[in-house]
């Protein structure tokens, strides 16, 4: 017995064991948790949320359902990684300041730009946003591959059909073992036009795409500076741009103001206001009398009141340099391609999406062709049966049972087995009352649909035309004007420290003079 146990003992180096285990863990995190798929732009948890809501009928044309129901459904069937991971992903997909086009429509408190957390999922309700239909449409037409869930009880899609390039439109961010991704949102209309251009001209150069896609388009607006950074990101998948707030000088009731109407992407507004106010209190730059957050239902607005005679240009430049009114944004366009993480430029992302969409249309058309051919076969059988109705009824009545009736119809009238099944299954009153004209019209309609399917499957030009037509329809229904302004050059911020010091001294002298006057 002892010898048997000793035979099963194997010696391994600790480094080998740890390396093997960590490698498996890292692969799991990269592929199934943190990095989005290049085809539909979704991480597994996001895909599972959308699919679970779709399967439950929680769509945009129905009423809201408690978020707790969706979280429980996703946890119990597809994503056993904790309720916070599911609800956090669900909330993020509903926040307009994080996504160019929200995928989940939450009714209730879903957080804020000030960093406030959402209400607990037992208080909020949700349904799919309308544009999510474009990601999920045709899912039931054998368009994608499916995999067993964690306990082999259910099937889940490995990717969604996705009728627009969601990875570029809504962007993505995530951190995994050894990999991180940071893809900013882009304008849907521009991305669709770039996709159509790439379909028409598969060998077009980056310069052509840059004429269409100007750069990132953040839901919070702002100004992006640095065309070289955009070109680098679109070419290599990595690059840096400067994002700054949109500001203007305004005079209100005789007072000079700096009005901030748009802030950089992913900046906490409350923290930004607090930082500016702390600069005022600490008098790091003189001239600010008050800072107010005037954001309301009409839109974002931060007002900075300036003292009489304040150097507004100096104050604004100081705030750009020392607060999140200006930030740097680093592109790192990592996504999953064929079950491997890769850094991709915009051309590679568009090509991967086009290949996916082409595959979806081919599979969908093949499915529809089979469906139409099956129905045409049945309609043809019914038309033939009606033309010899009395003889058909006679044969059915003389048959022993259903199976015998089917066999007799096949042998006597040369029906195929599917047609015979339809005839014996149909109730007699429906068979006798079916209008032959209606059947003929349906047969003609089906013939046209079958011909159309054959055209799509056999002619590359027809397939491409269909792809472009469907993309234009998505653009027509969901495209919005660009929010973010793009500037080629990075504006240099000049803050004269000597001037700030002289201003502080002058202010101190004025304050001292006022104090002496009051004393006398």
């Amino acid at each position: 017995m002892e010898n048997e146990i000793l035979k099963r003992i194997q010696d391994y180096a600790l480094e080998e064991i740890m390396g093997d285990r960590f490698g498996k863990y890292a692969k799991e995190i990269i592929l199934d948790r943190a990095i989005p798929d290049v085809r539909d732009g979704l991480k597994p948890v996001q895909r599972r949320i959308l699919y679970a809501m779709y399967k439950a009928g929680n769509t945009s044309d129905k009423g809201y359902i408690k978020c707790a129901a969706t979280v429980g459904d996703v946890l119990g069937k597809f994503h056993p990684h904790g309720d916070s991971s599911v609800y956090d992903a669900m909330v993020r997909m509903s926040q307009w300041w994080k996504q160019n086009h929200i995928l989940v429509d939450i009714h209730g408190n879903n957080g804020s730009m000030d960093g406030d957390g959402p209400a607990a999922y037992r208080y909020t309700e949700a349904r799919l946003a309308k544009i999510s239909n474009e990601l999920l449409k045709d899912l039931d037409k054998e368009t994608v591959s499916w995999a067993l869930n964690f306990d082999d009880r259910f099937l889940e899609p490995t990717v969604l059909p996705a009728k627009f390039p969601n990875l570029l439109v809504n962007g993505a961010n995530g951190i995994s073992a050894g990999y991180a991704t940071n893809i900013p949102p882009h304008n849907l209309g521009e991305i669709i036009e770039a996709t159509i251009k790439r379909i028409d001209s598969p060998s077009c150069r980056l310069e052509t795409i840059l004429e269409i896609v100007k750069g990132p388009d953040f839901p919070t607006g702002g100004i992006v500076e640095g065309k070289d950074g955009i070109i680098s990101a679109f070419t290599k998948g990595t690059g840096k741009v400067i994002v700054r707030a949109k500001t203007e000088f305004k005079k209100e009731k005789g007072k000079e103001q700096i009005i901030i109407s748009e802030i950089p992407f992913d900046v906490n507004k409350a923290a930004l206001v607090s930082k500016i106010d702390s600069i005022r209190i600490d008098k790091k730059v003189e001239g600010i009398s008050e800072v107010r957050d005037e954001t309301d239902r009409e839109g974002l607005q931060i007002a900075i009141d300036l003292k009489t005679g304040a150097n507004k240009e100096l104050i604004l430049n100081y705030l750009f340099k020392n607060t999140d009114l200006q930030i740097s944004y680093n592109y790192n366009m990592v996504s999953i391609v064929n079950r491997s993480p890769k850094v991709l430029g915009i051309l590679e992302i568009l090509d991967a999406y086009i290949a996916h969409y082409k595959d979806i249309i081919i599979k969908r058309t093949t499915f529809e062709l089979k469906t139409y051919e099956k129905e045409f076969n049945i309609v043809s059988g019914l038309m033939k049966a009606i033309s010899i109705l009395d003889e058909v009824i006679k044969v059915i009545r003389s048959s022993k049972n259903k199976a015998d009736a089917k066999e007799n119809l096949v042998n006597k009238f040369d029906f195929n087995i599917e047609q015979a099944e339809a005839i014996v299954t149909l109730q007699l009153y429906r068979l006798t009352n079916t209008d032959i004209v209606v059947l003929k019209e349906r047969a003609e309609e089906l013939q046209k649909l079958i011909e159309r399917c054959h055209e799509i499957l056999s002619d590359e030009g027809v397939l491409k035309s269909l792809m472009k037509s469907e993309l234009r329809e998505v653009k027509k229904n969901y495209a919005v004007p660009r929010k973010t302004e793009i500037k080629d050059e990075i504006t240099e911020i000049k803050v004269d420290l000597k001037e700030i010091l002289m201003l502080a001294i002058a202010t101190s002298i004025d304050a001292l003079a006022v104090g002496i006057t009051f004393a006398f």
Side-chain angles (χ1 to χ4, degrees):
M1 182 67 179
E2 187 178 346
N3 290 334
E4 288 297 320
I5 293 173
L6 289 172
K7 285 180 182 178
R8 294 203 300 267
I9 295 174
Q10 298 180 30
D11 291 329
Y12 290 98
L14 179 61
E15 293 87 348
E16 187 180 345
I17 293 291
M18 291 296 290
D20 178 64
R21 298 299 185 269
F22 182 76
K24 289 177 180 178
Y25 167 76
K27 183 179 179 182
E28 174 75 16
I29 294 295
I30 292 166
L31 298 181
D32 296 327
R33 296 286 290 276
I35 309 296
D37 193 294
V38 70
R39 297 168 293 176
D40 61 9
L42 298 171
K43 300 177 187 179
V45 65
Q46 295 172 323
R47 189 179 303 115
R48 287 162 177 167
I49 289 166
L50 298 182
Y51 173 63
M53 293 177 76
Y54 171 76
K55 193 177 179 186
N58 193 9
T59 50
S60 59
D61 56 339
K62 307 283 178 57
Y64 293 92
I65 293 175
K66 282 283 186 185
C67 289
T70 300
V71 171
D73 202 23
V74 174
L75 283 178
K77 294 179 179 177
F78 307 116
H79 195 77
H81 295 296
D83 57 345
S84 62
S85 66
V86 176
Y87 190 50
D88 288 350
M90 192 174 177
V91 166
R92 185 179 175 86
M93 287 193 288
S94 77
Q95 294 176 328
W96 66 264
W97 59 95
K98 299 282 190 183
Q99 306 251 141
N100 263 341
H101 296 269
I102 62 167
L103 302 179
V104 175
D105 177 13
I106 285 186
H107 186 229
N109 175 15
N110 67 332
S112 74
M113 292 178 71
D114 293 330
D116 300 316
Y121 52 65
R122 61 183 177 275
Y123 299 121
T124 54
E125 299 175 328
R127 63 184 178 187
L128 288 172
K130 190 177 178 183
I131 197 170
S132 293
N133 297 335
E134 308 300 338
L135 294 175
L136 293 153
K137 197 177 288 181
D138 301 326
L139 196 59
D140 55 351
K141 293 185 177 180
E142 298 177 0
T143 50
V144 299
S145 57
W146 297 72
L148 288 167
N149 73 329
F150 61 89
D151 61 1
D152 295 347
R153 290 189 303 134
F154 303 100
L155 287 171
E156 61 174 310
T158 58
V159 68
L160 297 186
K163 296 186 77 171
F164 65 94
N166 181 55
L167 182 65
L168 290 169
V169 170
N170 274 324
N173 62 62
I175 299 173
S176 65
Y179 285 91
T181 185
N182 202 31
I183 304 172
H186 297 79
N187 185 270
L188 182 140
E190 292 177 3
I191 291 298
I192 285 181
E193 283 302 318
T195 306
I196 290 170
K197 182 64 181 178
R198 194 69 178 168
I199 291 170
D200 285 333
S201 308
S203 301
C204 69
R205 299 171 66 85
L206 178 63
E207 290 78 4
T208 306
I209 299 301
L210 277 167
E211 290 175 7
I212 302 168
V213 183
K214 307 301 180 185
D217 186 26
F218 297 111
T220 50
I223 300 167
V224 167
E225 298 182 342
K227 190 173 182 180
D228 289 344
I230 294 171
I231 292 172
S232 173
F234 282 6
T235 306
K236 302 179 293 184
T238 57
K240 185 175 82 170
V241 294
I242 299 299
V243 187
R244 62 162 50 190
K246 189 169 282 188
T247 61
E248 63 172 329
F249 297 117
K250 190 177 177 183
K251 202 160 189 175
E252 185 73 26
K253 297 179 182 178
K255 285 187 176 181
E256 288 283 357
Q257 289 182 319
I258 299 173
I259 300 297
I260 302 162
S261 55
E262 296 174 6
I263 63 175
F265 180 63
D266 228 8
V267 166
N268 184 310
K269 176 166 63 67
L272 174 63
V273 173
S274 177
K275 176 67 175 176
I276 296 171
D277 200 40
S278 70
I279 289 172
R280 176 190 69 82
I281 294 168
D282 296 339
K283 296 185 178 181
K284 291 182 178 177
V285 62
E286 285 292 341
I288 301 174
S289 63
E290 190 180 358
V291 183
R292 293 185 309 280
D293 184 357
E294 298 179 344
T295 302
D296 57 18
R297 291 179 183 274
E298 301 299 317
L300 183 145
Q301 181 166 300
I302 300 169
I304 303 173
D305 291 344
L306 304 180
K307 295 176 183 177
T308 304
N311 187 334
K312 56 187 180 183
E313 294 284 355
L314 176 69
I315 291 169
L316 183 57
N317 283 341
Y318 184 87
L319 295 178
F320 276 137
K321 200 168 186 68
N322 294 280
T323 72
D324 282 345
L325 281 182
Q326 176 170 302
I327 63 170
S328 60
Y329 185 95
N330 294 292
Y331 274 84
N332 189 31
M333 300 207 289
V334 178
S335 56
I336 302 298
V337 183
N338 296 325
R339 298 291 293 170
S340 295
K342 289 186 179 179
V343 183
L344 302 175
I346 193 170
L347 295 181
E348 290 85 0
I349 292 175
L350 290 175
D351 288 345
Y353 172 75
I354 290 168
H356 169 65
Y357 193 31
K358 181 179 178 181
D359 185 54
I360 292 296
I361 290 180
I362 289 171
K363 288 179 178 176
R364 182 188 72 194
T365 305
T366 303
F367 176 87
E368 289 175 344
L369 178 60
K370 290 177 184 175
T371 305
Y372 296 146
E373 286 178 337
K374 184 177 179 180
E375 186 181 352
F376 181 77
N377 181 47
I378 300 301
V379 169
S380 300
L382 292 176
M383 288 167 60
K384 181 178 175 181
I386 289 172
S387 67
I388 51 172
L389 187 57
D390 292 337
E391 296 175 64
V392 167
I393 292 173
K394 186 177 178 181
V395 166
I396 293 173
R397 289 181 65 184
S398 64
S399 300
K400 298 174 185 177
N401 49 41
K402 181 181 175 181
D404 188 42
K406 284 163 60 177
E407 188 177 343
N408 291 335
L409 287 172
V410 170
N411 293 334
K412 190 168 180 64
F413 303 111
D414 203 26
F415 288 111
N416 58 46
I417 195 68
E418 289 82 11
Q419 292 172 334
E421 175 69 30
I423 292 166
V424 299
T425 303
L426 204 64
Q427 292 175 321
L428 186 60
Y429 83 92
R430 288 189 61 191
L431 191 59
T432 55
N433 291 330
T434 301
D435 189 345
I436 189 68
V437 176
V438 174
L439 288 174
K440 283 182 178 178
E441 288 176 353
R442 182 57 182 162
E444 290 172 5
E445 184 183 348
L446 287 167
Q447 277 184 317
K448 290 178 183 177
L449 291 169
I450 290 168
E451 288 172 9
R452 173 65 175 165
C453 288
H454 282 301
E455 283 180 2
I456 294 168
L457 294 173
S458 61
D459 191 328
E460 184 82 9
V462 175
L463 175 61
K464 286 184 175 181
S465 178
L466 178 60
M467 290 171 70
K468 292 186 290 184
S469 173
E470 291 186 358
L471 285 166
R472 288 192 180 104
E473 187 66 22
V474 173
K475 179 186 173 184
K476 177 184 172 185
N477 292 332
Y478 303 102
V480 294
R482 165 173 279 278
K483 299 182 185 75
T484 301
E485 183 184 342
I486 305 293
K487 289 185 177 179
D488 292 351
E489 301 300 326
I490 296 174
T491 305
E492 185 181 355
I493 300 173
K494 293 182 179 179
V495 178
D496 191 337
L497 295 177
K498 186 177 178 182
E499 189 173 347
I500 290 176
L501 182 61
M502 293 299 292
L503 186 61
I505 293 169
T507 305
S508 299
I509 291 171
D510 289 342
L512 182 62
V514 171
I516 292 169
T517 302
F518 275 111
F520 282 98

